[in-house]
Amino acid sequence: MFSWSPPPPGPLDKLFQYIDAHQDEFVQLPDGQSLPLPPIILAELGNDPKKPTVCLYGHLDVQPALRGDGWLTDPFTLAEVDGKLYGRGTTDNKGPVLAWINAVSAFRALDQDLPVNVKFILEGMEEAGSVGLEELVRKEKDRFFSSVDYIVISDNLWISRRRPALTYGTRGNSYFTVEVKCRDQDFHSGTFGGILHEPMADLVALLGSLVDSSGHILIPGIYDQVAPITAEEIQKYKSIDLDLEEYRNSSQVEKFLFDTKEEILMHLWRYPSLSIHGIEGAFDEPGAKTVIPGCVTGKFSIRLVPHMNVSVVEKQVKQHLEAVFSKRNSSNQMAVSLVMGLQPWVAKTNDSQYLAAKRAIRTVFGVEPDMIQDGSTIPIAVTFQDIIDKSVMMLPLGAVDDGEHAQNEKINRWNYIEGSKLFAAFFLEVARLHASDARNLP
Amino acid sequence: MFSWSPPPPGPLDKLFQYIDAHQDEFVQLPDGQSLPLPPIILAELGNDPKKPTVCLYGHLDVQPALRGDGWLTDPFTLAEVDGKLYGRGTTDNKGPVLAWINAVSAFRALDQDLPVNVKFILEGMEEAGSVGLEELVRKEKDRFFSSVDYIVISDNLWISRRRPALTYGTRGNSYFTVEVKCRDQDFHSGTFGGILHEPMADLVALLGSLVDSSGHILIPGIYDQVAPITAEEIQKYKSIDLDLEEYRNSSQVEKFLFDTKEEILMHLWRYPSLSIHGIEGAFDEPGAKTVIPGCVTGKFSIRLVPHMNVSVVEKQVKQHLEAVFSKRNSSNQMAVSLVMGLQPWVAKTNDSQYLAAKRAIRTVFGVEPDMIQDGSTIPIAVTFQDIIDKSVMMLPLGAVDDGEHAQNEKINRWNYIEGSKLFAAFFLEVARLHASDARNLP
């Protein structure tokens, strides 16, 4: 585990005092075994109505790790090598959680007034899809969360090794299955090959109708709701610190679909993308089996961006696939299902807490942050924004090469310590801006 | 096991005397365990140079069977219910092997001269791909097989319940893999979706270019070598006893690609067919995983008919896929491989043994046989024809509903007993025709 020594002299007073009692809720595991959900920790420090209340989200669960997977050190014993702190969870997400605690502790150790009220929400199911989190947030909306002004999530990474970032958006996702069925049993391709509408031929045609070789999605209307690009936005991409050649090399990709940094970033963050994940029910093993699968299910998903809407996309996908299928005159049955729909998230970057974070970054690092989005889906941001209806910000402190989820995950000592300073500075800045916002209210 | 009582009085003299000594050859099992190959039995009875020598092929191994699979009787204890003899191997292939032995025994029991020299080749690896068979046939070509005039295989079924059939052709097969690779590891579709030439999109386009929705193969030139259809052939299809409605119902297929018996039979027997079997390396499990597979392998095969040639087809497939792939301008690597190539088999149906079998069928059953082909690939027919270079015939005696490979496999008592008579009659007819052929030699 991550070993943490609190800054002298003392631990936080009331922190970690509110332990959620949801241990009786159960999650059904695939083998039928039931385990209690781990508790979600809600903690608070300070309740001064004159101060803003900042709620910090983090998670204490981690990805699995075994020494034999290729770790150079024991993944569950913190080890420092050349200024890098190695261990499972160092960057995802125990290190950032501790940096927040460090910042609070520093104020208290110096007997300085903590300029904000602090609330923590720390869960233990993030790596398994945050089971139980949304339910708790809904339940505590008018209690624990009623006084919250700002929500900060420090659970992602910078896009560079040295330059801090602020994350203001994530793509959503819509995950589809398309089943094509002739009958439940498979056929022998010698005995039936040549006289059947083969489900795999139908499915391959359906999946092949979704996206062209340049990555452009072929579903009619799918780009209609994508927010138009602005000159200011293009400028934002230009200023981002991304070494494309290094990025390409570290990705082990021969060539991307696009050649410039701006195009790459736009297609990861502000345009939808469609990926075909695989097929269930066909022959997927090594070797050569002469089977005609009787019933196959294709799986694909579309990453969503502002202002796309899951329900509209669902309708467009179904209409498109039905049109393609109907042209085939197949006697098979087709069924399209949306199995997961998550809206994209985007924040207003002129909110006080974004301005406060920018100022704090300038103070600690002496640079402007990269203003970034994340191509993947972080549902908790949408959950918080939708349910609590307050400003949500992602303030990462890990570097792009930290290797979250990978072997030899690390956080740099520099990121961890400067990040603790950043968080302390953020408390001061957000309190100052909040007060001036309050004075300016009509 | 199949319980066999020899007809009175006696067993065959020299039968089963030649036991192959290939027990030292080993086959490597997937778990690394090595087991000796079961022996292939070579047996002979009679060596009269004035008589023709008929070589009968059969196999004594069976598909697995467990009572719990849905058998109504113990699969390894023969049980007769309503004239049906139930048990694993009754029709595939122990029953037909015993019927040949019954025919020989009847001649001997009545002290009648057996009009042919008989040879048996009985293997024990047919259900596992006839491992070791081809090697043995090559080795024995100029010894055991040197005197053989006719080879008869009784290891398939009639196409009807009551009408005997003669099989004169089987389709070949060419099995292909097409691998598309970006890198060995998978990608996260949030982090990389939108900027990659995704291997699944390439593969789906490649597989989608192979066959249209009417079952027509789209590979240029693929039909060039298919034998032209003759009026005589069409007449042959017309006369075949196939209840299309019953066939469709028992297949649990809503609708075939074709509406007439003739078209169905032609597309199973005399036209090539292409089936897509599946994809290795993609997400194939239940659930929703947002993965971009890094390297995927599609699998498909083309059933071959006269006069298609595996090497020509291989070249056509590779050229076609390379052309499709090259148009995509993908930065991925594509590799096409032929992993199995088996030539189609077709016999001359005016060979003496076909005429003899037709006469024998008329004698025993009072009808003309269905002259049928088999859409699947039976490699032993090609093996015998190519290596021994003598006429090969398939003379089935099981009915279409025998359920080989399925639960409750059976052979009808009627088929088994009339089949034994058919084989005895065949010995007489083939000897007569053989003698008259010899007299007519220039």
Side-chain angles (χ1 to χ4, degrees):
Chain A
M1 303 295 281
F2 204 95
S3 85
W4 174 67
S5 307
L12 300 168
D13 280 18
K14 300 186 196 164
L15 222 58
F16 300 120
Q17 73 186 12
Y18 185 105
I19 306 291
D20 182 75
H22 286 245
Q23 298 190 20
D24 293 342
E25 286 172 9
F26 284 75
V27 57
Q28 201 70 17
L29 294 186
D31 64 355
Q33 197 189 353
S34 289
L35 289 178
L37 280 175
I40 297 170
I41 299 171
L42 300 179
E44 55 188 336
L45 178 67
N47 192 22
D48 184 340
K50 294 191 299 294
K51 296 175 179 173
T53 300
V54 178
C55 177
L56 308 164
Y57 164 88
H59 66 89
L60 305 179
D61 58 314
V62 296
Q63 286 281 318
L66 288 172
R67 181 81 191 244
D69 290 343
W71 282 79
L72 301 173
T73 59
D74 174 10
F76 291 105
T77 304
L78 189 69
E80 180 168 359
V81 181
D82 293 337
K84 292 175 182 113
L85 301 165
Y86 288 96
R88 177 54 89 219
T90 48
T91 198
D92 182 17
N93 177 237
K94 295 180 184 178
V97 169
L98 283 168
W100 282 113
I101 295 174
N102 293 346
V104 174
S105 300
F107 278 97
R108 299 183 56 81
L110 299 172
D111 254 340
Q112 288 193 18
D113 181 48
L114 188 63
V116 295
N117 304 312
V118 169
K119 292 201 171 195
F120 275 91
I121 173 167
L122 303 174
E123 68 159 320
M125 286 296 284
E126 197 274 344
E127 301 293 4
S130 295
V131 181
L133 183 70
E134 182 176 334
E135 190 186 340
L136 177 79
V137 174
R138 283 190 193 284
K139 211 165 106 183
E140 293 294 332
K141 180 190 171 187
D142 296 323
R143 293 190 290 184
F144 182 78
F145 293 106
S146 65
S147 60
V148 167
D149 297 297
Y150 306 105
I151 297 144
V152 186
I153 301 168
S154 295
D155 189 25
N156 62 324
L157 299 176
W158 300 348
I159 200 172
S160 103
R161 291 194 182 182
R162 298 290 293 181
R163 186 162 176 175
L166 276 178
T167 307
Y168 61 95
T170 61
R171 291 196 287 192
N173 203 1
S174 53
Y175 201 106
F176 291 91
T177 61
V178 47
E179 180 192 274
V180 181
K181 180 173 173 176
C182 179
R183 69 174 192 191
D184 284 322
Q185 296 88 344
D186 292 341
F187 298 87
H188 188 286
S189 70
T191 324
F192 283 93
I195 63 168
L196 289 183
H197 295 275
E198 300 192 7
M200 273 297 277
D202 283 341
L203 183 58
V204 158
L206 291 165
L207 296 176
S209 75
L210 296 170
V211 61
D212 73 12
S213 60
S214 69
H216 190 81
I217 304 173
L218 300 170
I219 297 160
I222 199 89
Y223 290 99
D224 289 355
Q225 295 177 299
V226 174
I229 193 151
T230 63
E232 180 200 13
E233 207 186 335
I234 296 176
Q235 208 47 50
K236 221 181 310 188
Y237 293 125
K238 282 204 167 74
S239 66
I240 283 170
D241 183 20
L242 176 71
D243 183 331
L244 200 56
E245 195 55 22
E246 186 186 306
Y247 177 56
R248 203 189 50 71
N249 281 333
S250 69
S251 308
Q252 299 170 266
V253 172
E254 172 98 5
K255 198 171 178 314
F256 289 126
L257 284 169
F258 307 97
D259 293 327
T260 67
K261 179 179 73 179
E262 293 77 10
E263 282 174 305
I264 295 279
L265 293 177
M266 284 194 279
H267 283 89
L268 283 176
W269 295 347
R270 64 110 52 232
Y271 286 123
S273 66
L274 189 150
S275 296
I276 302 168
H277 307 300
I279 294 171
E280 187 183 338
F283 175 54
D284 52 48
E285 286 164 45
K289 189 176 171 187
T290 53
V291 66
I292 299 174
C295 178
V296 287
T297 304
K299 300 182 181 184
F300 64 95
S301 66
I302 304 172
R303 295 277 165 180
L304 307 178
V305 296
H307 310 294
M308 295 171 85
N309 176 286
V310 170
S311 315
V312 175
V313 168
E314 180 183 9
K315 194 181 287 181
Q316 290 167 333
V317 166
K318 287 184 173 175
Q319 276 177 354
H320 170 71
L321 289 178
E322 276 155 18
V324 172
F325 189 66
S326 124
K327 275 191 203 125
R328 293 183 62 80
N329 286 317
S330 170
S331 58
N332 296 322
Q333 302 299 314
M334 182 190 72
V336 185
S337 303
L338 174 78
V339 294
M340 181 176 73
L342 298 164
Q343 288 293 140
W345 166 72
V346 67
K348 296 195 193 77
T349 56
N350 53 1
D351 274 354
S352 290
Q353 70 166 340
Y354 277 90
L355 301 178
K358 280 186 193 177
R359 284 186 190 175
I361 286 169
R362 275 198 294 268
T363 303
V364 175
F365 295 94
V367 295
E368 289 293 321
D370 281 332
M371 294 300 294
I372 66 174
Q373 301 187 53
D374 196 311
S376 35
T377 308
I378 306 178
I380 45 164
V382 181
T383 302
F384 286 133
Q385 189 155 301
D386 285 1
I387 300 173
I388 307 176
D389 198 21
K390 288 290 159 64
S391 170
V392 176
M393 176 175 73
M394 292 195 194
L395 179 56
L397 59 76
V400 68
D401 63 351
D402 276 359
E404 87 280 28
H405 291 208
Q407 297 91 330
N408 302 307
E409 175 182 349
K410 57 92 179 163
I411 193 168
N412 300 323
R413 173 181 280 271
W414 180 74
N415 290 61
Y416 177 60
I417 299 301
E418 300 304 298
S420 300
K421 293 178 193 167
L422 169 63
F423 292 167
F426 171 73
F427 287 148
L428 283 166
E429 296 290 354
V430 79
R432 200 175 295 162
L433 278 164
H434 189 78
S436 109
D437 283 354
R439 275 194 305 276
N440 293 339
L441 281 178
Chain B
M1 302 296 283
F2 202 96
S3 87
W4 173 66
S5 306
L12 301 167
D13 282 21
K14 299 184 195 165
L15 220 58
F16 300 119
Q17 72 188 11
Y18 185 103
I19 305 291
D20 182 78
H22 285 247
Q23 298 192 20
D24 293 341
E25 285 172 11
F26 285 77
V27 57
Q28 200 73 17
L29 294 188
D31 65 354
Q33 197 191 353
S34 288
L35 289 179
L37 280 176
I40 296 170
I41 300 171
L42 300 179
E44 55 189 337
L45 178 67
N47 191 20
D48 183 341
K50 294 190 298 296
K51 296 177 181 173
T53 301
V54 178
C55 177
L56 309 165
Y57 164 89
H59 66 89
L60 306 179
D61 58 315
V62 294
Q63 285 281 319
L66 289 173
R67 180 83 190 245
D69 290 345
W71 283 78
L72 300 174
T73 59
D74 174 12
F76 292 103
T77 305
L78 189 68
E80 180 167 1
V81 182
D82 292 338
K84 295 177 180 111
L85 302 164
Y86 288 95
R88 176 55 90 220
T90 47
T91 198
D92 181 18
N93 182 229
K94 294 180 184 178
V97 169
L98 283 169
W100 282 113
I101 295 174
N102 294 345
V104 175
S105 300
F107 279 96
R108 297 183 58 80
L110 300 172
D111 256 341
Q112 288 194 18
D113 181 47
L114 189 63
V116 295
N117 304 312
V118 170
K119 293 200 172 196
F120 274 93
I121 171 167
L122 303 175
E123 68 160 320
M125 287 294 285
E126 197 273 345
E127 300 293 1
S130 295
V131 182
L133 183 71
E134 180 175 338
E135 190 186 339
L136 177 80
V137 175
R138 284 191 192 284
K139 212 166 106 185
E140 293 294 334
K141 178 190 172 185
D142 297 323
R143 294 190 289 185
F144 182 78
F145 293 106
S146 64
S147 59
V148 167
D149 297 297
Y150 306 106
I151 297 145
V152 186
I153 301 169
S154 296
D155 189 24
N156 61 326
L157 299 177
W158 300 347
I159 200 173
S160 103
R161 291 193 184 183
R162 297 291 292 184
R163 185 163 176 173
L166 276 178
T167 306
Y168 61 93
T170 62
R171 291 196 289 191
N173 201 2
S174 53
Y175 200 104
F176 291 90
T177 61
V178 48
E179 179 193 272
V180 181
K181 180 174 174 173
C182 178
R183 69 175 191 190
D184 285 321
Q185 296 89 344
D186 292 340
F187 298 87
H188 188 287
S189 71
T191 324
F192 283 93
I195 63 169
L196 290 183
H197 296 274
E198 300 192 7
M200 273 297 277
D202 282 342
L203 182 59
V204 159
L206 290 164
L207 296 177
S209 76
L210 296 171
V211 62
D212 73 14
S213 59
S214 69
H216 189 80
I217 304 174
L218 300 170
I219 297 160
I222 200 87
Y223 290 99
D224 289 356
Q225 295 177 300
V226 175
I229 193 150
T230 62
E232 179 199 12
E233 206 184 336
I234 295 175
Q235 209 45 53
K236 220 182 304 188
Y237 293 123
K238 281 202 174 71
S239 66
I240 284 171
D241 182 19
L242 176 71
D243 182 330
L244 200 54
E245 196 53 21
E246 185 185 306
Y247 178 54
R248 203 188 51 70
N249 282 334
S250 70
S251 307
Q252 298 171 266
V253 172
E254 171 96 7
K255 197 174 181 313
F256 289 126
L257 284 169
F258 308 96
D259 295 326
T260 68
K261 178 180 75 176
E262 293 77 11
E263 282 174 304
I264 294 278
L265 293 176
M266 283 195 276
H267 282 89
L268 284 176
W269 295 348
R270 65 109 53 231
Y271 286 122
S273 65
L274 189 149
S275 297
I276 302 168
H277 308 299
I279 294 173
E280 186 183 339
F283 175 55
D284 51 49
E285 287 164 43
K289 189 177 173 189
T290 53
V291 65
I292 299 174
C295 178
V296 286
T297 304
K299 301 183 181 182
F300 64 95
S301 66
I302 304 172
R303 296 278 164 179
L304 307 179
V305 297
H307 309 292
M308 294 171 84
N309 176 286
V310 170
S311 316
V312 175
V313 168
E314 180 183 11
K315 195 182 283 181
Q316 289 167 333
V317 167
K318 286 184 173 176
Q319 275 177 354
H320 170 70
L321 289 178
E322 276 155 18
V324 172
F325 189 66
S326 125
K327 276 192 203 123
R328 292 182 62 80
N329 284 317
S330 170
S331 57
N332 296 322
Q333 303 297 314
M334 182 192 73
V336 185
S337 303
L338 174 78
V339 294
M340 184 176 77
L342 298 165
Q343 288 294 141
W345 165 73
V346 68
K348 296 195 193 75
T349 54
N350 51 3
D351 274 354
S352 291
Q353 70 167 340
Y354 278 90
L355 301 179
K358 281 186 194 179
R359 286 187 189 174
I361 286 170
R362 274 198 294 266
T363 302
V364 175
F365 295 93
V367 296
E368 289 294 319
D370 281 332
M371 294 301 293
I372 66 174
Q373 302 187 49
D374 196 311
S376 38
T377 308
I378 305 177
I380 47 164
V382 181
T383 302
F384 287 132
Q385 188 156 303
D386 285 1
I387 299 173
I388 306 173
D389 198 20
K390 288 288 159 64
S391 171
V392 176
M393 177 174 72
M394 293 195 194
L395 179 55
L397 60 78
V400 67
D401 62 351
D402 276 359
E404 89 279 35
H405 291 209
Q407 296 89 327
N408 303 306
E409 175 181 347
K410 59 94 179 163
I411 192 167
N412 301 323
R413 173 182 279 273
W414 180 75
N415 289 61
Y416 177 60
I417 298 302
E418 300 304 298
S420 300
K421 294 179 193 166
L422 169 64
F423 293 167
F426 171 73
F427 287 147
L428 283 167
E429 296 290 353
V430 78
R432 198 173 300 161
L433 278 164
H434 189 79
S436 111
D437 284 355
R439 277 195 303 276
N440 293 339
L441 279 177

